[in-house]
PDB file of all heavy atoms in Angstrom:
ATOM      1  N   SER A   1       0.809  -1.221   0.000  1.00 90.00           N
ATOM      2  CA  SER A   1       0.000   0.000   0.000  1.00 90.00           C
ATOM      3  C   SER A   1       0.843   1.272   0.000  1.00 90.00           C
ATOM      4  O   SER A   1       0.376   2.332  -0.425  1.00 90.00           O
ATOM      5  CB  SER A   1      -0.933   0.005   1.224  1.00 90.00           C
ATOM      6  OG  SER A   1      -0.191  -0.079   2.433  1.00 90.00           O
ATOM      7  N   GLU A   2       2.108   1.173   0.435  1.00 92.00           N
ATOM      8  CA  GLU A   2       2.985   2.339   0.470  1.00 92.00           C
ATOM      9  C   GLU A   2       3.945   2.382  -0.712  1.00 92.00           C
ATOM     10  O   GLU A   2       4.810   3.264  -0.782  1.00 92.00           O
ATOM     11  CB  GLU A   2       3.776   2.355   1.781  1.00 92.00           C
ATOM     12  CG  GLU A   2       2.886   2.486   3.018  1.00 92.00           C
ATOM     13  CD  GLU A   2       3.689   2.515   4.296  1.00 92.00           C
ATOM     14  OE1 GLU A   2       4.931   2.355   4.221  1.00 92.00           O
ATOM     15  OE2 GLU A   2       3.097   2.692   5.370  1.00 92.00           O
ATOM     16  N   GLY A   3       3.794   1.439  -1.638  1.00 92.00           N
ATOM     17  CA  GLY A   3       4.629   1.448  -2.836  1.00 92.00           C
ATOM     18  C   GLY A   3       5.962   0.761  -2.686  1.00 92.00           C
ATOM     19  O   GLY A   3       6.819   0.869  -3.578  1.00 92.00           O
ATOM     20  N   PHE A   4       6.185   0.040  -1.586  1.00 95.00           N
ATOM     21  CA  PHE A   4       7.431  -0.694  -1.387  1.00 95.00           C
ATOM     22  C   PHE A   4       7.262  -2.146  -1.845  1.00 95.00           C
ATOM     23  O   PHE A   4       6.150  -2.668  -1.910  1.00 95.00           O
ATOM     24  CB  PHE A   4       7.851  -0.664   0.086  1.00 95.00           C
ATOM     25  CG  PHE A   4       8.382   0.658   0.539  1.00 95.00           C
ATOM     26  CD1 PHE A   4       7.537   1.620   1.063  1.00 95.00           C
ATOM     27  CD2 PHE A   4       9.738   0.945   0.441  1.00 95.00           C
ATOM     28  CE1 PHE A   4       8.019   2.852   1.483  1.00 95.00           C
ATOM     29  CE2 PHE A   4      10.240   2.174   0.863  1.00 95.00           C
ATOM     30  CZ  PHE A   4       9.374   3.123   1.375  1.00 95.00           C
ATOM     31  N   GLY A   5       8.374  -2.804  -2.123  1.00 95.00           N
ATOM     32  CA  GLY A   5       8.332  -4.195  -2.541  1.00 95.00           C
ATOM     33  C   GLY A   5       7.815  -5.104  -1.443  1.00 95.00           C
ATOM     34  O   GLY A   5       8.121  -4.915  -0.262  1.00 95.00           O
ATOM     35  N   CYS A   6       7.014  -6.102  -1.825  1.00 96.00           N
ATOM     36  CA  CYS A   6       6.405  -7.024  -0.870  1.00 96.00           C
ATOM     37  C   CYS A   6       6.569  -8.452  -1.383  1.00 96.00           C
ATOM     38  O   CYS A   6       6.172  -8.770  -2.506  1.00 96.00           O
ATOM     39  CB  CYS A   6       4.925  -6.677  -0.696  1.00 96.00           C
ATOM     40  SG  CYS A   6       4.074  -7.635   0.558  1.00 96.00           S
ATOM     41  N   LEU A   7       7.173  -9.324  -0.554  1.00 96.00           N
ATOM     42  CA  LEU A   7       7.489 -10.698  -0.950  1.00 96.00           C
ATOM     43  C   LEU A   7       6.273 -11.607  -0.904  1.00 96.00           C
ATOM     44  O   LEU A   7       5.441 -11.513   0.002  1.00 96.00           O
ATOM     45  CB  LEU A   7       8.541 -11.286  -0.005  1.00 96.00           C
ATOM     46  CG  LEU A   7       9.983 -10.808  -0.150  1.00 96.00           C
ATOM     47  CD1 LEU A   7      10.774 -11.257   1.045  1.00 96.00           C
ATOM     48  CD2 LEU A   7      10.584 -11.352  -1.426  1.00 96.00           C
ATOM     49  N   SER A   8       6.199 -12.518  -1.868  1.00 94.00           N
ATOM     50  CA  SER A   8       5.141 -13.526  -1.885  1.00 94.00           C
ATOM     51  C   SER A   8       5.753 -14.906  -2.110  1.00 94.00           C
ATOM     52  O   SER A   8       6.958 -15.026  -2.328  1.00 94.00           O
ATOM     53  CB  SER A   8       4.133 -13.204  -2.985  1.00 94.00           C
ATOM     54  OG  SER A   8       3.074 -14.125  -2.983  1.00 94.00           O
ATOM     55  N   ASP A   9       4.913 -15.945  -2.041  1.00 92.00           N
ATOM     56  CA  ASP A   9       5.340 -17.337  -2.254  1.00 92.00           C
ATOM     57  C   ASP A   9       6.503 -17.729  -1.342  1.00 92.00           C
ATOM     58  O   ASP A   9       7.488 -18.329  -1.771  1.00 92.00           O
ATOM     59  CB  ASP A   9       5.719 -17.566  -3.714  1.00 92.00           C
ATOM     60  CG  ASP A   9       4.517 -17.891  -4.568  1.00 92.00           C
ATOM     61  OD1 ASP A   9       3.391 -17.707  -4.085  1.00 92.00           O
ATOM     62  OD2 ASP A   9       4.688 -18.309  -5.721  1.00 92.00           O
ATOM     63  N   ILE A  10       6.360 -17.425  -0.083  1.00 93.00           N
ATOM     64  CA  ILE A  10       7.439 -17.647   0.875  1.00 93.00           C
ATOM     65  C   ILE A  10       7.462 -19.089   1.361  1.00 93.00           C
ATOM     66  O   ILE A  10       6.425 -19.660   1.700  1.00 93.00           O
ATOM     67  CB  ILE A  10       7.275 -16.700   2.080  1.00 93.00           C
ATOM     68  CG1 ILE A  10       7.376 -15.255   1.599  1.00 93.00           C
ATOM     69  CG2 ILE A  10       8.320 -16.962   3.149  1.00 93.00           C
ATOM     70  CD1 ILE A  10       6.921 -14.261   2.618  1.00 93.00           C
ATOM     71  N   GLY A  11       8.638 -19.680   1.400  1.00 89.00           N
ATOM     72  CA  GLY A  11       8.833 -20.985   2.023  1.00 89.00           C
ATOM     73  C   GLY A  11       8.320 -22.187   1.268  1.00 89.00           C
ATOM     74  O   GLY A  11       8.350 -23.303   1.805  1.00 89.00           O
ATOM     75  N   LEU A  12       7.871 -22.020   0.037  1.00 89.00           N
ATOM     76  CA  LEU A  12       7.354 -23.169  -0.706  1.00 89.00           C
ATOM     77  C   LEU A  12       8.469 -24.103  -1.163  1.00 89.00           C
ATOM     78  O   LEU A  12       8.233 -25.283  -1.418  1.00 89.00           O
ATOM     79  CB  LEU A  12       6.545 -22.699  -1.917  1.00 89.00           C
ATOM     80  CG  LEU A  12       5.312 -21.836  -1.603  1.00 89.00           C
ATOM     81  CD1 LEU A  12       4.573 -21.491  -2.892  1.00 89.00           C
ATOM     82  CD2 LEU A  12       4.385 -22.552  -0.627  1.00 89.00           C
ATOM     83  N   ALA A  13       9.679 -23.569  -1.275  1.00 85.00           N
ATOM     84  CA  ALA A  13      10.813 -24.396  -1.716  1.00 85.00           C
ATOM     85  C   ALA A  13      11.070 -25.555  -0.763  1.00 85.00           C
ATOM     86  O   ALA A  13      11.532 -26.619  -1.169  1.00 85.00           O
ATOM     87  CB  ALA A  13      12.062 -23.538  -1.859  1.00 85.00           C
ATOM     88  N   ALA A  14      10.761 -25.340   0.529  1.00 86.00           N
ATOM     89  CA  ALA A  14      10.995 -26.394   1.514  1.00 86.00           C
ATOM     90  C   ALA A  14      10.061 -27.583   1.309  1.00 86.00           C
ATOM     91  O   ALA A  14      10.348 -28.688   1.772  1.00 86.00           O
ATOM     92  CB  ALA A  14      10.820 -25.840   2.925  1.00 86.00           C
ATOM     93  N   LEU A  15       8.933 -27.366   0.616  1.00 87.00           N
ATOM     94  CA  LEU A  15       7.977 -28.447   0.378  1.00 87.00           C
ATOM     95  C   LEU A  15       8.344 -29.278  -0.843  1.00 87.00           C
ATOM     96  O   LEU A  15       7.808 -30.362  -1.041  1.00 87.00           O
ATOM     97  CB  LEU A  15       6.570 -27.862   0.181  1.00 87.00           C
ATOM     98  CG  LEU A  15       6.004 -27.061   1.355  1.00 87.00           C
ATOM     99  CD1 LEU A  15       4.676 -26.455   0.973  1.00 87.00           C
ATOM    100  CD2 LEU A  15       5.869 -27.940   2.587  1.00 87.00           C
ATOM    101  N   MET A  16       9.220 -28.747  -1.673  1.00 78.00           N
ATOM    102  CA  MET A  16       9.624 -29.458  -2.886  1.00 78.00           C
ATOM    103  C   MET A  16      11.117 -29.727  -2.819  1.00 78.00           C
ATOM    104  O   MET A  16      11.936 -28.837  -3.048  1.00 78.00           O
ATOM    105  CB  MET A  16       9.295 -28.628  -4.127  1.00 78.00           C
ATOM    106  CG  MET A  16       9.666 -29.311  -5.437  1.00 78.00           C
ATOM    107  SD  MET A  16       9.308 -28.273  -6.868  1.00 78.00           S
ATOM    108  CE  MET A  16       7.537 -28.286  -6.852  1.00 78.00           C
ATOM    109  N   SER A  17      11.471 -30.926  -2.482  1.00 66.00           N
ATOM    110  CA  SER A  17      12.879 -31.271  -2.340  1.00 66.00           C
ATOM    111  C   SER A  17      13.140 -32.624  -3.004  1.00 66.00           C
ATOM    112  O   SER A  17      12.529 -33.626  -2.625  1.00 66.00           O
ATOM    113  CB  SER A  17      13.266 -31.313  -0.866  1.00 66.00           C
ATOM    114  OG  SER A  17      14.626 -31.630  -0.712  1.00 66.00           O
ATOM    115  N   PRO A  18      14.047 -32.648  -3.991  1.00 69.00           N
ATOM    116  CA  PRO A  18      14.760 -31.491  -4.533  1.00 69.00           C
ATOM    117  C   PRO A  18      13.933 -30.760  -5.589  1.00 69.00           C
ATOM    118  O   PRO A  18      12.996 -31.323  -6.149  1.00 69.00           O
ATOM    119  CB  PRO A  18      15.998 -32.135  -5.167  1.00 69.00           C
ATOM    120  CG  PRO A  18      15.504 -33.481  -5.621  1.00 69.00           C
ATOM    121  CD  PRO A  18      14.495 -33.919  -4.591  1.00 69.00           C
ATOM    122  N   MET A  19      14.301 -29.516  -5.867  1.00 67.00           N
ATOM    123  CA  MET A  19      13.618 -28.746  -6.891  1.00 67.00           C
ATOM    124  C   MET A  19      14.089 -29.189  -8.273  1.00 67.00           C
ATOM    125  O   MET A  19      15.218 -29.663  -8.424  1.00 67.00           O
ATOM    126  CB  MET A  19      13.886 -27.250  -6.694  1.00 67.00           C
ATOM    127  CG  MET A  19      13.230 -26.681  -5.438  1.00 67.00           C
ATOM    128  SD  MET A  19      13.361 -24.886  -5.304  1.00 67.00           S
ATOM    129  CE  MET A  19      15.083 -24.715  -4.856  1.00 67.00           C
ATOM    130  N   PRO A  20      13.242 -29.054  -9.302  1.00 65.00           N
ATOM    131  CA  PRO A  20      13.600 -29.520 -10.642  1.00 65.00           C
ATOM    132  C   PRO A  20      14.809 -28.784 -11.207  1.00 65.00           C
ATOM    133  O   PRO A  20      14.824 -27.551 -11.265  1.00 65.00           O
ATOM    134  CB  PRO A  20      12.331 -29.249 -11.468  1.00 65.00           C
ATOM    135  CG  PRO A  20      11.572 -28.236 -10.685  1.00 65.00           C
ATOM    136  CD  PRO A  20      11.881 -28.483  -9.253  1.00 65.00           C
ATOM    137  N   HIS A  21      15.809 -29.535 -11.638  1.00 64.00           N
ATOM    138  CA  HIS A  21      17.086 -28.959 -12.071  1.00 64.00           C
ATOM    139  C   HIS A  21      16.940 -28.118 -13.335  1.00 64.00           C
ATOM    140  O   HIS A  21      17.405 -26.974 -13.393  1.00 64.00           O
ATOM    141  CB  HIS A  21      18.100 -30.083 -12.305  1.00 64.00           C
ATOM    142  CG  HIS A  21      19.409 -29.600 -12.856  1.00 64.00           C
ATOM    143  ND1 HIS A  21      20.342 -28.937 -12.089  1.00 64.00           N
ATOM    144  CD2 HIS A  21      19.924 -29.664 -14.115  1.00 64.00           C
ATOM    145  CE1 HIS A  21      21.391 -28.628 -12.849  1.00 64.00           C
ATOM    146  NE2 HIS A  21      21.161 -29.050 -14.071  1.00 64.00           N
ATOM    147  N   GLN A  22      16.298 -28.650 -14.349  1.00 59.00           N
ATOM    148  CA  GLN A  22      16.218 -27.960 -15.633  1.00 59.00           C
ATOM    149  C   GLN A  22      15.437 -26.656 -15.524  1.00 59.00           C
ATOM    150  O   GLN A  22      15.790 -25.645 -16.126  1.00 59.00           O
ATOM    151  CB  GLN A  22      15.575 -28.879 -16.687  1.00 59.00           C
ATOM    152  CG  GLN A  22      16.435 -30.071 -17.067  1.00 59.00           C
ATOM    153  CD  GLN A  22      17.780 -29.648 -17.658  1.00 59.00           C
ATOM    154  OE1 GLN A  22      17.899 -28.627 -18.328  1.00 59.00           O
ATOM    155  NE2 GLN A  22      18.805 -30.451 -17.397  1.00 59.00           N
ATOM    156  N   VAL A  23      14.357 -26.671 -14.753  1.00 62.00           N
ATOM    157  CA  VAL A  23      13.547 -25.462 -14.588  1.00 62.00           C
ATOM    158  C   VAL A  23      14.344 -24.377 -13.886  1.00 62.00           C
ATOM    159  O   VAL A  23      14.311 -23.205 -14.257  1.00 62.00           O
ATOM    160  CB  VAL A  23      12.258 -25.777 -13.799  1.00 62.00           C
ATOM    161  CG1 VAL A  23      11.471 -24.507 -13.526  1.00 62.00           C
ATOM    162  CG2 VAL A  23      11.409 -26.773 -14.572  1.00 62.00           C
ATOM    163  N   MET A  24      15.090 -24.755 -12.857  1.00 63.00           N
ATOM    164  CA  MET A  24      15.881 -23.791 -12.107  1.00 63.00           C
ATOM    165  C   MET A  24      17.003 -23.209 -12.958  1.00 63.00           C
ATOM    166  O   MET A  24      17.287 -22.012 -12.904  1.00 63.00           O
ATOM    167  CB  MET A  24      16.459 -24.452 -10.863  1.00 63.00           C
ATOM    168  CG  MET A  24      15.424 -24.884  -9.846  1.00 63.00           C
ATOM    169  SD  MET A  24      16.177 -25.767  -8.488  1.00 63.00           S
ATOM    170  CE  MET A  24      17.286 -24.522  -7.870  1.00 63.00           C
ATOM    171  N   LYS A  25      17.614 -24.055 -13.756  1.00 65.00           N
ATOM    172  CA  LYS A  25      18.721 -23.603 -14.594  1.00 65.00           C
ATOM    173  C   LYS A  25      18.248 -22.601 -15.629  1.00 65.00           C
ATOM    174  O   LYS A  25      18.956 -21.647 -15.970  1.00 65.00           O
ATOM    175  CB  LYS A  25      19.369 -24.815 -15.276  1.00 65.00           C
ATOM    176  CG  LYS A  25      20.649 -24.480 -16.041  1.00 65.00           C
ATOM    177  CD  LYS A  25      21.278 -25.741 -16.599  1.00 65.00           C
ATOM    178  CE  LYS A  25      22.568 -25.422 -17.338  1.00 65.00           C
ATOM    179  NZ  LYS A  25      23.200 -26.645 -17.896  1.00 65.00           N
ATOM    180  N   ALA A  26      17.037 -22.793 -16.130  1.00 65.00           N
ATOM    181  CA  ALA A  26      16.511 -21.911 -17.166  1.00 65.00           C
ATOM    182  C   ALA A  26      15.942 -20.616 -16.601  1.00 65.00           C
ATOM    183  O   ALA A  26      15.725 -19.660 -17.332  1.00 65.00           O
ATOM    184  CB  ALA A  26      15.428 -22.636 -17.966  1.00 65.00           C
ATOM    185  N   ALA A  27      15.697 -20.570 -15.289  1.00 75.00           N
ATOM    186  CA  ALA A  27      15.042 -19.400 -14.701  1.00 75.00           C
ATOM    187  C   ALA A  27      15.964 -18.184 -14.659  1.00 75.00           C
ATOM    188  O   ALA A  27      15.540 -17.065 -14.885  1.00 75.00           O
ATOM    189  CB  ALA A  27      14.539 -19.741 -13.300  1.00 75.00           C
ATOM    190  N   GLY A  28      17.247 -18.374 -14.296  1.00 84.00           N
ATOM    191  CA  GLY A  28      18.199 -17.271 -14.291  1.00 84.00           C
ATOM    192  C   GLY A  28      18.331 -16.543 -12.977  1.00 84.00           C
ATOM    193  O   GLY A  28      19.285 -15.779 -12.792  1.00 84.00           O
ATOM    194  N   HIS A  29      17.408 -16.734 -12.029  1.00 89.00           N
ATOM    195  CA  HIS A  29      17.498 -16.002 -10.767  1.00 89.00           C
ATOM    196  C   HIS A  29      17.999 -16.871  -9.613  1.00 89.00           C
ATOM    197  O   HIS A  29      18.081 -16.397  -8.484  1.00 89.00           O
ATOM    198  CB  HIS A  29      16.135 -15.400 -10.401  1.00 89.00           C
ATOM    199  CG  HIS A  29      15.041 -16.413 -10.248  1.00 89.00           C
ATOM    200  ND1 HIS A  29      14.267 -16.831 -11.322  1.00 89.00           N
ATOM    201  CD2 HIS A  29      14.580 -17.089  -9.166  1.00 89.00           C
ATOM    202  CE1 HIS A  29      13.386 -17.713 -10.893  1.00 89.00           C
ATOM    203  NE2 HIS A  29      13.559 -17.896  -9.599  1.00 89.00           N
ATOM    204  N   HIS A  30      18.321 -18.118  -9.888  1.00 89.00           N
ATOM    205  CA  HIS A  30      18.848 -18.994  -8.845  1.00 89.00           C
ATOM    206  C   HIS A  30      20.375 -18.963  -8.834  1.00 89.00           C
ATOM    207  O   HIS A  30      21.014 -18.835  -9.879  1.00 89.00           O
ATOM    208  CB  HIS A  30      18.376 -20.435  -9.061  1.00 89.00           C
ATOM    209  CG  HIS A  30      16.915 -20.628  -8.826  1.00 89.00           C
ATOM    210  ND1 HIS A  30      16.346 -20.589  -7.577  1.00 89.00           N
ATOM    211  CD2 HIS A  30      15.899 -20.854  -9.696  1.00 89.00           C
ATOM    212  CE1 HIS A  30      15.036 -20.774  -7.682  1.00 89.00           C
ATOM    213  NE2 HIS A  30      14.745 -20.946  -8.959  1.00 89.00           N
ATOM    214  N   ALA A  31      20.946 -19.092  -7.640  1.00 92.00           N
ATOM    215  CA  ALA A  31      22.396 -19.088  -7.496  1.00 92.00           C
ATOM    216  C   ALA A  31      22.999 -20.329  -8.145  1.00 92.00           C
ATOM    217  O   ALA A  31      22.342 -21.370  -8.234  1.00 92.00           O
ATOM    218  CB  ALA A  31      22.763 -19.042  -6.009  1.00 92.00           C
ATOM    219  N   PRO A  32      24.254 -20.255  -8.607  1.00 90.00           N
ATOM    220  CA  PRO A  32      24.885 -21.405  -9.269  1.00 90.00           C
ATOM    221  C   PRO A  32      24.887 -22.661  -8.411  1.00 90.00           C
ATOM    222  O   PRO A  32      24.670 -23.762  -8.908  1.00 90.00           O
ATOM    223  CB  PRO A  32      26.307 -20.906  -9.541  1.00 90.00           C
ATOM    224  CG  PRO A  32      26.199 -19.425  -9.583  1.00 90.00           C
ATOM    225  CD  PRO A  32      25.131 -19.070  -8.607  1.00 90.00           C
ATOM    226  N   GLU A  33      25.130 -22.506  -7.106  1.00 90.00           N
ATOM    227  CA  GLU A  33      25.196 -23.694  -6.249  1.00 90.00           C
ATOM    228  C   GLU A  33      23.834 -24.358  -6.075  1.00 90.00           C
ATOM    229  O   GLU A  33      23.742 -25.560  -5.809  1.00 90.00           O
ATOM    230  CB  GLU A  33      25.776 -23.338  -4.870  1.00 90.00           C
ATOM    231  CG  GLU A  33      24.871 -22.499  -3.985  1.00 90.00           C
ATOM    232  CD  GLU A  33      25.022 -21.005  -4.189  1.00 90.00           C
ATOM    233  OE1 GLU A  33      25.670 -20.618  -5.183  1.00 90.00           O
ATOM    234  OE2 GLU A  33      24.509 -20.236  -3.361  1.00 90.00           O
ATOM    235  N   VAL A  34      22.753 -23.589  -6.255  1.00 86.00           N
ATOM    236  CA  VAL A  34      21.415 -24.159  -6.112  1.00 86.00           C
ATOM    237  C   VAL A  34      21.059 -25.013  -7.322  1.00 86.00           C
ATOM    238  O   VAL A  34      20.425 -26.061  -7.196  1.00 86.00           O
ATOM    239  CB  VAL A  34      20.363 -23.052  -5.907  1.00 86.00           C
ATOM    240  CG1 VAL A  34      18.967 -23.637  -5.829  1.00 86.00           C
ATOM    241  CG2 VAL A  34      20.662 -22.267  -4.645  1.00 86.00           C
ATOM    242  N   THR A  35      21.462 -24.593  -8.499  1.00 77.00           N
ATOM    243  CA  THR A  35      21.180 -25.382  -9.696  1.00 77.00           C
ATOM    244  C   THR A  35      21.922 -26.709  -9.672  1.00 77.00           C
ATOM    245  O   THR A  35      21.513 -27.657 -10.342  1.00 77.00           O
ATOM    246  CB  THR A  35      21.570 -24.600 -10.964  1.00 77.00           C
ATOM    247  OG1 THR A  35      22.953 -24.239 -10.902  1.00 77.00           O
ATOM    248  CG2 THR A  35      20.744 -23.334 -11.090  1.00 77.00           C
ATOM    249  N   ASP A  36      23.006 -26.774  -8.898  1.00 76.00           N
ATOM    250  CA  ASP A  36      23.759 -28.028  -8.769  1.00 76.00           C
ATOM    251  C   ASP A  36      23.200 -28.897  -7.640  1.00 76.00           C
ATOM    252  O   ASP A  36      22.912 -30.076  -7.830  1.00 76.00           O
ATOM    253  CB  ASP A  36      25.238 -27.733  -8.520  1.00 76.00           C
ATOM    254  CG  ASP A  36      25.889 -27.036  -9.710  1.00 76.00           C
ATOM    255  OD1 ASP A  36      25.390 -27.236 -10.836  1.00 76.00           O
ATOM    256  OD2 ASP A  36      26.859 -26.292  -9.505  1.00 76.00           O
ATOM    257  N   SER A  37      23.051 -28.304  -6.453  1.00 75.00           N
ATOM    258  CA  SER A  37      22.584 -29.073  -5.295  1.00 75.00           C
ATOM    259  C   SER A  37      21.069 -29.139  -5.207  1.00 75.00           C
ATOM    260  O   SER A  37      20.519 -30.003  -4.525  1.00 75.00           O
ATOM    261  CB  SER A  37      23.111 -28.434  -4.002  1.00 75.00           C
ATOM    262  OG  SER A  37      22.536 -27.150  -3.805  1.00 75.00           O
ATOM    263  N   ARG A  38      20.385 -28.197  -5.878  1.00 74.00           N
ATOM    264  CA  ARG A  38      18.924 -28.070  -5.848  1.00 74.00           C
ATOM    265  C   ARG A  38      18.402 -27.865  -4.429  1.00 74.00           C
ATOM    266  O   ARG A  38      17.305 -28.271  -4.084  1.00 74.00           O
ATOM    267  CB  ARG A  38      18.255 -29.281  -6.513  1.00 74.00           C
ATOM    268  CG  ARG A  38      18.483 -29.342  -8.010  1.00 74.00           C
ATOM    269  CD  ARG A  38      17.689 -30.439  -8.649  1.00 74.00           C
ATOM    270  NE  ARG A  38      18.255 -31.744  -8.397  1.00 74.00           N
ATOM    271  CZ  ARG A  38      17.716 -32.886  -8.781  1.00 74.00           C
ATOM    272  NH1 ARG A  38      16.556 -32.876  -9.420  1.00 74.00           N
ATOM    273  NH2 ARG A  38      18.289 -34.037  -8.526  1.00 74.00           N
ATOM    274  N   LYS A  39      19.213 -27.199  -3.618  1.00 84.00           N
ATOM    275  CA  LYS A  39      18.824 -26.880  -2.249  1.00 84.00           C
ATOM    276  C   LYS A  39      19.098 -25.405  -1.996  1.00 84.00           C
ATOM    277  O   LYS A  39      20.228 -24.943  -2.111  1.00 84.00           O
ATOM    278  CB  LYS A  39      19.586 -27.745  -1.253  1.00 84.00           C
ATOM    279  CG  LYS A  39      19.156 -27.510   0.182  1.00 84.00           C
ATOM    280  CD  LYS A  39      19.917 -28.433   1.132  1.00 84.00           C
ATOM    281  CE  LYS A  39      19.477 -28.196   2.574  1.00 84.00           C
ATOM    282  NZ  LYS A  39      20.202 -29.080   3.525  1.00 84.00           N
ATOM    283  N   ALA A  40      18.028 -24.654  -1.657  1.00 89.00           N
ATOM    284  CA  ALA A  40      18.153 -23.227  -1.429  1.00 89.00           C
ATOM    285  C   ALA A  40      18.688 -22.936  -0.037  1.00 89.00           C
ATOM    286  O   ALA A  40      18.463 -23.688   0.910  1.00 89.00           O
ATOM    287  CB  ALA A  40      16.799 -22.546  -1.623  1.00 89.00           C
ATOM    288  N   THR A  41      19.418 -21.811   0.085  1.00 94.00           N
ATOM    289  CA  THR A  41      19.966 -21.359   1.362  1.00 94.00           C
ATOM    290  C   THR A  41      19.723 -19.853   1.473  1.00 94.00           C
ATOM    291  O   THR A  41      19.281 -19.206   0.531  1.00 94.00           O
ATOM    292  CB  THR A  41      21.467 -21.646   1.452  1.00 94.00           C
ATOM    293  OG1 THR A  41      22.144 -20.892   0.429  1.00 94.00           O
ATOM    294  CG2 THR A  41      21.763 -23.133   1.264  1.00 94.00           C
ATOM    295  N   GLN A  42      20.060 -19.304   2.624  1.00 96.00           N
ATOM    296  CA  GLN A  42      19.937 -17.852   2.780  1.00 96.00           C
ATOM    297  C   GLN A  42      20.912 -17.133   1.845  1.00 96.00           C
ATOM    298  O   GLN A  42      20.591 -16.062   1.314  1.00 96.00           O
ATOM    299  CB  GLN A  42      20.181 -17.452   4.237  1.00 96.00           C
ATOM    300  CG  GLN A  42      19.054 -17.875   5.165  1.00 96.00           C
ATOM    301  CD  GLN A  42      19.164 -17.259   6.545  1.00 96.00           C
ATOM    302  OE1 GLN A  42      20.157 -16.602   6.893  1.00 96.00           O
ATOM    303  NE2 GLN A  42      18.136 -17.464   7.369  1.00 96.00           N
ATOM    304  N   ALA A  43      22.073 -17.721   1.621  1.00 97.00           N
ATOM    305  CA  ALA A  43      23.041 -17.119   0.699  1.00 97.00           C
ATOM    306  C   ALA A  43      22.512 -17.124  -0.732  1.00 97.00           C
ATOM    307  O   ALA A  43      22.744 -16.180  -1.501  1.00 97.00           O
ATOM    308  CB  ALA A  43      24.376 -17.859   0.774  1.00 97.00           C
ATOM    309  N   SER A  44      21.788 -18.171  -1.096  1.00 95.00           N
ATOM    310  CA  SER A  44      21.203 -18.209  -2.439  1.00 95.00           C
ATOM    311  C   SER A  44      20.049 -17.209  -2.567  1.00 95.00           C
ATOM    312  O   SER A  44      19.789 -16.685  -3.648  1.00 95.00           O
ATOM    313  CB  SER A  44      20.726 -19.618  -2.781  1.00 95.00           C
ATOM    314  OG  SER A  44      19.636 -20.020  -1.976  1.00 95.00           O
ATOM    315  N   ASP A  45      19.360 -16.923  -1.455  1.00 97.00           N
ATOM    316  CA  ASP A  45      18.353 -15.858  -1.458  1.00 97.00           C
ATOM    317  C   ASP A  45      18.999 -14.512  -1.749  1.00 97.00           C
ATOM    318  O   ASP A  45      18.443 -13.674  -2.472  1.00 97.00           O
ATOM    319  CB  ASP A  45      17.644 -15.789  -0.100  1.00 97.00           C
ATOM    320  CG  ASP A  45      16.521 -16.811   0.024  1.00 97.00           C
ATOM    321  OD1 ASP A  45      16.210 -17.491  -0.982  1.00 97.00           O
ATOM    322  OD2 ASP A  45      15.955 -16.926   1.127  1.00 97.00           O
ATOM    323  N   VAL A  46      20.172 -14.277  -1.176  1.00 98.00           N
ATOM    324  CA  VAL A  46      20.900 -13.028  -1.417  1.00 98.00           C
ATOM    325  C   VAL A  46      21.250 -12.906  -2.899  1.00 98.00           C
ATOM    326  O   VAL A  46      21.117 -11.829  -3.502  1.00 98.00           O
ATOM    327  CB  VAL A  46      22.170 -12.960  -0.542  1.00 98.00           C
ATOM    328  CG1 VAL A  46      22.999 -11.721  -0.898  1.00 98.00           C
ATOM    329  CG2 VAL A  46      21.801 -12.942   0.933  1.00 98.00           C
ATOM    330  N   TYR A  47      21.695 -13.998  -3.491  1.00 97.00           N
ATOM    331  CA  TYR A  47      22.004 -13.996  -4.922  1.00 97.00           C
ATOM    332  C   TYR A  47      20.763 -13.629  -5.735  1.00 97.00           C
ATOM    333  O   TYR A  47      20.831 -12.790  -6.655  1.00 97.00           O
ATOM    334  CB  TYR A  47      22.519 -15.373  -5.345  1.00 97.00           C
ATOM    335  CG  TYR A  47      22.917 -15.475  -6.807  1.00 97.00           C
ATOM    336  CD1 TYR A  47      24.248 -15.347  -7.194  1.00 97.00           C
ATOM    337  CD2 TYR A  47      21.964 -15.701  -7.802  1.00 97.00           C
ATOM    338  CE1 TYR A  47      24.622 -15.439  -8.529  1.00 97.00           C
ATOM    339  CE2 TYR A  47      22.317 -15.784  -9.140  1.00 97.00           C
ATOM    340  CZ  TYR A  47      23.649 -15.658  -9.497  1.00 97.00           C
ATOM    341  OH  TYR A  47      24.006 -15.731 -10.824  1.00 97.00           O
ATOM    342  N   SER A  48      19.643 -14.250  -5.428  1.00 96.00           N
ATOM    343  CA  SER A  48      18.410 -13.983  -6.163  1.00 96.00           C
ATOM    344  C   SER A  48      17.985 -12.525  -6.021  1.00 96.00           C
ATOM    345  O   SER A  48      17.487 -11.916  -6.974  1.00 96.00           O
ATOM    346  CB  SER A  48      17.293 -14.907  -5.676  1.00 96.00           C
ATOM    347  OG  SER A  48      17.614 -16.265  -5.917  1.00 96.00           O
TER     348      SER A  48
END
């Protein structure tokens, strides 16, 4: 309502383990280590 960014779809990655490799690789916003391990971390959130 104030024009600032607001996050959605929080925490769904924890329900899908491992995440699909090809989809993640094609997305472009995932960190390199996530496309290999298919496991998100706080550091990979920073990359995104």
